[in-house]
């Protein structure tokens, strides 16, 4: 679906031309009819010619007021248009709002349009000089179109009164629309509301030019920025009931349970959780050569985006002022939130006296905070975001955020989700972005499926966090050489940086470090791969002495207390960690080989005899009741034996 917007000086014949093209008089207010002046937006539609016998495409027309007092109404309707019908009365030629409207079309980067040189009957009626006059006006028009998006627009001579040139005008409009690429369907519709009214028996109706996705009857919707929830009861395009409204079309949405005073022009209707309104935007602004004055830091302007109008304070970035004809980076603070995405165009005007100053493009709709005014890295970021290839935009956004979910990346960059998913693998492959959870060794980083929850981490943040983590494990090893490793909780409590990021980041990072072999995890402890417990010479001597005591009578070894006294608590704990010693009760400990021998002998005895008692075991191992009781209870606990009264069997 397509929408054409009119533009041009007041009284130059826009509404008359729309009526001649469509048969619909677009002015809707009684006051307008009485004053013969378009004050607010008017709407009409027509079917364009087609190459074959089929009926041609239907296009909507937004007719805008030309009077300078109503320029701001014009801006509410011009935002979503595909092509301009730029109307200039042949008897008057280029007038002030001819220029102002052209400047606005150019700032909004409306790439397509047709100039209707209308009222040509008046040239003859007023005896202005016929063909010579018309050629003069045409060359004047060519002059003002130079260096604007409409530079190459066709000029068609028409008269809304006599109907002359109307069919040529239709063909010219059709030609310029058929050159345009299709309207993107990004699966997240947004409808900037340009009219709200109620119809008896139906309730509230909102209209606007639908962008970026489809709306369906029955859809749950939300009105932003306030966040009022509602449901679509019905949809109309060009007064026709439709089940689905497609991107690019003029759309009327009948919603339930919301009264008209809850909604105003400029609000945006969208699906829930698809757009986040913002009060702060990073922009690139261009000032018109005839803006009259430069923009200073902290100046206030009226900001027009979509169908909305908000007072904004401008913070200049990297410059002291923007002079007429110049451009620059700014961050604006808005009096109330707007829905904006990267790449949206906007206009700024001086509040009073009203004058169009310039406009530009949204570079970051959700900046991370208030920028320092003269920060080079921020200016570089803005440059990459505005001029970069899609890959550069993705990379820049990930680098700025450090870490974010794939779904948030799609939102922040305002890029097509499919495109984001397509481009990410090359960033993984080049190592500039790390994906978490880590892909399994058997999977290819390129082809492993991405989900909306996949975490994306910039290389620099990854390096910082992972090397800090490995370093803290290393320093733990130096501080506690007799400990095998450190628990995840302990590591995390030492790494404050993680508190700024999603909790998953730490767990996923530890998993990846382990998968990559940078850390070894055994049980609850992690250690560096080359870490070994090493004893000092004097500790080794103590250990040897202790081992000799074990050898003296392996089945009646020294108690835990005696061991700790002999080598120290730390060394004893290390011997347990190394599994040189095996603890079977709080008091009883064996050497590993002695323990293994005892266990296999108990098993052998049970294989042969079926059951064993404490007394039998005591006799078998020639030791005291204290040891065998501890050993057998330990075997019960680890599931080797099962106790039945005084006897035990194999489990
Ligand atoms: P708009 O303000 O640009 O929408 O202008 P309108 O369409 O309201 O036209 C302004 C006046 O010019 C009206 O009185 C129209 O009747 C008249 N008008 C518009 N087009 C023509 C035309 O082609 N020929 C003549 N003679 N008068 C026209």
């Amino acid at each position: 679906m397509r929408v054409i917007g009119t533009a041009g000086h007041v009284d130059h014949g826009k509404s008359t031309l729309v009526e001649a093209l469509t048969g619909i008089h677009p002015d809707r207010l009684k006051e307008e009819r009485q004053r013969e002046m378009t004050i607010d937006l008017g709407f009409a539609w027509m079917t364009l010619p087609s190459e074959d016998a089929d009926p041609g495409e239907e296009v909507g027309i937004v007719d805008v007021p030309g009077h300078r007092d109503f320029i701001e109404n014009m801006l509410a309707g011009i935002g979503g248009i595909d092509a301009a019908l730029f109307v200039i009365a042949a008897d008057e030629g280029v007038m002030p709002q001819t220029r102002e409207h052209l400047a606005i079309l150019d700032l909004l980067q409306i790439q397509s349009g047709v100039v209707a040189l209308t009222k040509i009957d008046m040239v003859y009626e007023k005896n202005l000089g016929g063909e010579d006059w018309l050629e003069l006006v045409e060359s004047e028009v060519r002059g003002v179109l130079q260096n604007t998006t409409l530079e190459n627009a066709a000029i068609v001579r028409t008269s809304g009164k006599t109907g002359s040139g109307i069919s040529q005008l239709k063909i010219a409009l059709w030609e310029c629309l058929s050159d345009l690429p299709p309207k993107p369907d990004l699966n997240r519709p947004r409808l900037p509301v340009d009219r709200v009214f109620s119809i008896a028996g139906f309730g509230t109706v909102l209209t606007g030019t639908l962008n970026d996705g489809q709306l369906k009857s029955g859809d749950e919707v939300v009105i932003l920025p306030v966040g009022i929830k509602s449901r679509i009861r019905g949809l109309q395009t060009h007064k026709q009931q439709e089940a689905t409204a497609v991107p690019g079309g003029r759309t009327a949405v009948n919603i339930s349970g919301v009264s008209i005073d809850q909604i105003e022009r400029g609000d945006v209707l969208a699906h829930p959780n698809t757009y986040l309104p913002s009060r702060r935007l990073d922009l690139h602004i261009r000032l018109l050569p005839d803006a009259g004055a430069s923009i200073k830091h902290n100046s206030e302007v009226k900001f027009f985006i979509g169908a909305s109008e908000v007072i904004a304070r401008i913070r200049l970035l990297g410059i002291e002022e923007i002079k007429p004809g110049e451009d620059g980076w700014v961050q604006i603070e808005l009096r109330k939130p707007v829905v904006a995405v990267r790449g949206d165009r906007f206009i700024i005007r001086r509040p009073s006296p009203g004058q169009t100053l310039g406009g530009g493009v949204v570079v970051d709709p959700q900046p991370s905070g208030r920028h320092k005014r003269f920060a080079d890295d921020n200016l570089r970021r803005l440059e990459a975001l505005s001029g970069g290839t899609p890959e550069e935009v993705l990379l820049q956004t990930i680098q700025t955020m450090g870490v974010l979910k794939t779904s948030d990346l799609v939102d922040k960059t305002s890029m097509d989700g499919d495109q984001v998913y397509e481009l990410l693998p090359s960033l993984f492959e080049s190592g500039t972005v790390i994906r978490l959870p880590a892909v399994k060794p058997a999977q290819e980083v390129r082809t492993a499926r991405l989900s909306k929850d996949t975490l994306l981490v910039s290389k620099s943040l990854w390096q910082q966090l992972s090397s800090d983590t490995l370093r803290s494990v290393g320093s733990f090893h130096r501080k506690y050489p007799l400990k095998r490793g450190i628990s995840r909780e302990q590591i995390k409590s030492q790494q404050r940086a993680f508190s700024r990021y999603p909790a998953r980041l730490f767990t996923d990072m530890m998993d990846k470090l382990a998968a990559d072999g940078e850390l070894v995890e055994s049980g609850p402890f992690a250690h560096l791969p080359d870490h070994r417990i090493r004893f000092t010479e004097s500790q080794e001597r103590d250990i040897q002495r202790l081992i000799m005591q074990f050898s003296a009578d392996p089945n009646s070894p020294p108690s835990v207390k005696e061991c700790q006294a002999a080598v120290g608590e730390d060394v004893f704990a290390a011997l347990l960690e190394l599994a040189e010693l095996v603890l079977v009760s709080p008091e009883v400990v064996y050497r590993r080989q002695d323990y293994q021998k005892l266990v296999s002998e108990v098993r052998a005895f049970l294989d042969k005899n079926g059951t064993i008692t404490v007394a039998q075991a005591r006799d078998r191992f020639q030791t005291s009741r204290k040891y065998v009781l501890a050993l057998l209870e330990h075997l019960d606990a680890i599931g080797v034996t099962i106790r039945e009264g005084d006897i035990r069997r194999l489990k």
Side-chain angles (χ1 to χ4, degrees):
M1 279 289 212
R2 299 292 179 185
V3 177
I4 293 168
T6 63
H9 196 75
V10 61
D11 261 356
H12 271 205
K14 294 183 291 299
S15 301
T16 308
L17 211 49
V18 170
E19 192 173 3
L21 283 166
T22 65
I24 301 164
H25 196 289
D27 289 355
R28 61 200 179 85
L29 303 174
K30 212 195 252 158
E31 189 195 354
E32 290 184 340
R33 296 251 182 159
Q34 276 163 2
R35 288 171 66 184
E36 271 212 1
M37 182 195 277
T38 309
I39 293 170
D40 207 340
L41 303 171
F43 301 92
W45 63 94
M46 66 173 166
T47 308
L48 286 176
S50 75
E51 265 167 348
D52 37 45
D54 290 342
E57 194 189 347
E58 235 184 46
V59 297
I61 298 189
V62 179
D63 186 35
V64 306
H67 195 282
R68 52 179 294 220
D69 291 351
F70 306 116
I71 285 270
E72 297 178 356
N73 290 343
M74 177 248 187
L75 291 173
I78 208 80
I81 67 165
D82 298 286
L85 171 57
F86 192 38
V87 179
I88 301 169
D91 57 338
E92 284 195 346
V94 173
M95 297 292 280
Q97 270 64 54
T98 313
R99 291 178 190 279
E100 187 168 12
H101 281 201
L102 180 64
I104 288 167
L105 293 172
D106 189 53
L107 287 168
L108 295 173
Q109 290 286 297
I110 308 297
Q111 297 289 348
S112 196
V114 176
V115 177
L117 196 63
T118 195
K119 296 199 190 183
I120 46 166
D121 58 312
M122 296 289 276
V123 173
Y124 294 94
E125 204 181 297
K126 289 191 188 167
N127 265 325
L128 295 171
E131 182 65 24
D132 289 349
W133 174 268
L134 287 171
E135 276 175 20
L136 212 69
V137 177
E138 272 175 8
S139 85
E140 186 196 17
V141 171
R142 278 276 162 241
V144 297
L145 292 180
Q146 243 177 34
N147 300 322
T148 71
T149 51
L150 295 188
E151 184 159 24
N152 298 314
I155 301 179
V156 183
R157 296 178 185 181
T158 60
S159 165
K161 202 151 213 170
T162 68
S164 119
I166 298 300
S167 51
Q168 286 91 323
L169 182 60
K170 276 193 188 178
I171 291 173
L173 287 169
W174 170 65
E175 279 173 352
C176 82
L177 286 177
S178 54
D179 285 348
L180 294 176
K183 276 271 172 183
D185 184 342
L186 306 178
N187 208 9
R188 39 174 187 189
R190 52 175 172 148
L191 185 90
V193 174
D194 49 35
R195 266 187 314 170
V196 192
F197 50 91
S198 76
I199 298 181
F202 281 96
T204 302
V205 176
L206 317 175
T207 73
T209 304
L210 179 61
N211 269 313
D212 295 341
Q214 306 189 348
L215 289 176
K216 291 197 169 56
S217 196
D219 279 359
E220 237 184 86
V221 290
V222 60
I223 316 288
L224 300 169
V226 178
I228 303 164
K229 293 219 168 88
S230 183
R231 192 174 283 282
I232 299 182
R233 288 174 61 185
L235 289 165
Q236 281 193 357
T237 299
H238 307 152
K239 297 243 160 90
Q240 284 288 311
Q241 200 77 26
E242 311 270 4
T244 305
V246 298
R250 287 294 311 168
T251 306
V253 189
N254 178 205
I255 55 172
S256 55
V258 182
S259 68
I260 58 168
D261 42 279
Q262 288 176 277
I263 304 174
E264 55 186 21
R265 170 176 281 181
D267 286 350
V268 172
L269 177 140
H271 283 160
N273 308 317
T274 50
Y275 289 98
L276 194 63
S278 179
R279 285 186 69 155
R280 181 182 279 152
L281 305 171
D282 290 352
L283 311 172
H284 186 259
I285 281 187
R286 173 158 67 91
L287 229 55
L288 292 173
D290 53 5
S294 47
I295 290 192
K296 303 259 174 6
H297 184 62
N298 268 334
S299 50
E300 256 189 6
V301 295
K302 273 187 177 173
F303 179 75
F304 296 83
I305 193 163
S308 73
E309 164 190 338
V310 192
I311 296 287
R313 185 172 292 281
I314 295 192
R315 309 188 62 240
L316 295 176
L317 303 175
I319 26 172
E320 294 294 355
E321 62 176 334
I322 306 178
K323 296 201 182 88
E326 294 183 347
D327 60 34
W329 303 109
V330 307
Q331 181 169 61
I332 58 164
E333 311 278 347
L334 296 161
R335 243 190 230 165
K336 73 176 205 236
V338 296
V339 170
V341 306
R342 194 175 64 85
D344 278 355
R345 299 270 160 186
F346 63 86
I347 296 290
I348 52 170
R349 285 176 52 85
R350 188 170 46 207
S352 100
Q355 188 197 353
T356 303
L357 296 173
V361 62
V362 175
V363 180
D364 187 348
Q366 308 281 343
S368 51
R370 225 174 123 99
H371 301 311
K372 291 215 181 76
R373 283 190 61 201
F374 295 91
D376 284 346
D377 52 344
N378 185 44
L379 297 175
R380 276 198 299 276
R381 178 186 74 93
L382 292 170
E383 233 148 77
L385 279 180
S386 78
T389 63
E391 283 96 332
E392 284 166 342
V393 170
L394 290 182
L395 190 57
Q396 186 58 53
T397 308
I398 297 169
Q399 276 167 353
T400 308
M401 299 297 291
V403 55
L404 77 175
K405 286 201 300 187
T406 311
S407 54
D408 295 336
L409 179 65
V410 174
D411 289 348
K412 259 196 86 71
T413 56
S414 316
M415 280 167 63
D416 176 19
D418 289 344
Q419 192 189 15
V420 171
Y421 280 69
E422 218 166 86
L423 293 174
L424 279 173
S426 65
L427 298 181
F428 301 148
E429 219 170 35
S430 65
T432 46
V433 175
I434 284 66
R435 62 178 292 177
L436 294 174
V439 294
K440 307 225 168 59
Q443 287 175 303
E444 279 277 321
V445 70
R446 220 189 141 70
T447 53
R449 217 180 72 80
L450 273 169
S451 87
K452 66 184 188 10
D453 291 323
T454 303
L455 282 185
L456 309 166
V457 189
S458 73
K459 182 180 175 179
S460 54
L461 181 68
W462 171 262
Q463 283 178 336
Q464 180 203 323
L465 293 176
S466 62
S467 67
D468 283 358
T469 299
L470 294 173
R471 204 172 315 121
S472 85
V473 175
S475 66
F476 181 87
H477 290 330
R478 278 190 299 284
K479 199 162 171 196
Y480 303 101
L482 297 180
K483 290 216 168 140
R484 183 125 60 111
I486 173 173
S487 72
R488 283 191 175 196
E489 289 67 43
Q490 256 178 303
I491 299 176
K492 194 173 176 188
S493 69
Q494 291 170 9
Q495 301 294 310
R496 290 256 177 76
F498 282 102
S499 60
R500 285 202 297 273
Y501 303 111
R504 255 181 61 200
L505 178 62
F506 176 75
T507 324
D508 286 353
M509 184 193 75
M510 289 297 287
D511 289 347
K512 179 166 164 58
L513 290 174
D516 292 350
E518 304 224 43
L519 272 181
V520 178
E521 292 198 284
S522 58
F525 299 112
H527 64 86
L528 296 179
D530 59 357
H531 170 68
R532 303 277 176 280
I533 294 176
R534 289 195 183 83
F535 301 111
T536 63
E537 273 180 33
S538 84
Q539 287 168 337
E540 286 288 0
R541 276 198 298 277
D542 293 343
I543 293 168
Q544 282 316 313
R545 219 172 290 130
L546 178 65
I547 294 300
M548 275 164 48
Q549 289 184 48
F550 275 88
S551 315
D553 188 354
N555 292 353
S556 311
S559 73
V560 168
K561 277 221 175 70
E562 287 163 341
C563 293
Q564 285 171 335
V567 294
E569 283 185 31
D570 287 354
V571 172
F572 177 70
L575 291 170
L576 291 180
E577 276 199 29
L578 289 169
E580 293 294 332
L581 298 180
V582 180
L583 200 63
V584 299
S585 82
E587 284 93 37
V588 178
V589 65
Y590 293 104
R591 276 192 310 186
R592 178 176 44 206
Q593 63 270 40
D594 303 333
Y595 167 80
Q596 285 165 346
K597 196 156 161 245
L598 285 166
V599 176
S600 61
E601 284 188 23
V602 171
R603 279 183 187 280
F605 187 94
L606 285 169
D607 279 340
K608 194 163 158 216
N609 304 302
T611 62
I612 192 167
T613 63
V614 173
Q616 283 171 321
R618 188 192 55 203
D619 297 345
R620 176 81 187 72
F621 299 129
Q622 294 284 301
T623 180
S624 70
R625 190 180 153 79
K626 173 180 86 176
Y627 290 106
V628 289
L629 204 57
L631 178 69
L632 291 176
E633 278 173 0
H634 166 77
L635 293 178
D636 292 343
I638 64 171
V640 173
T641 52
I642 184 160
R643 182 178 159 194
E644 291 168 6
D646 286 344
I647 60 159
R648 283 179 165 82
R649 307 178 180 283
L650 276 179
K651 189 169 179 186

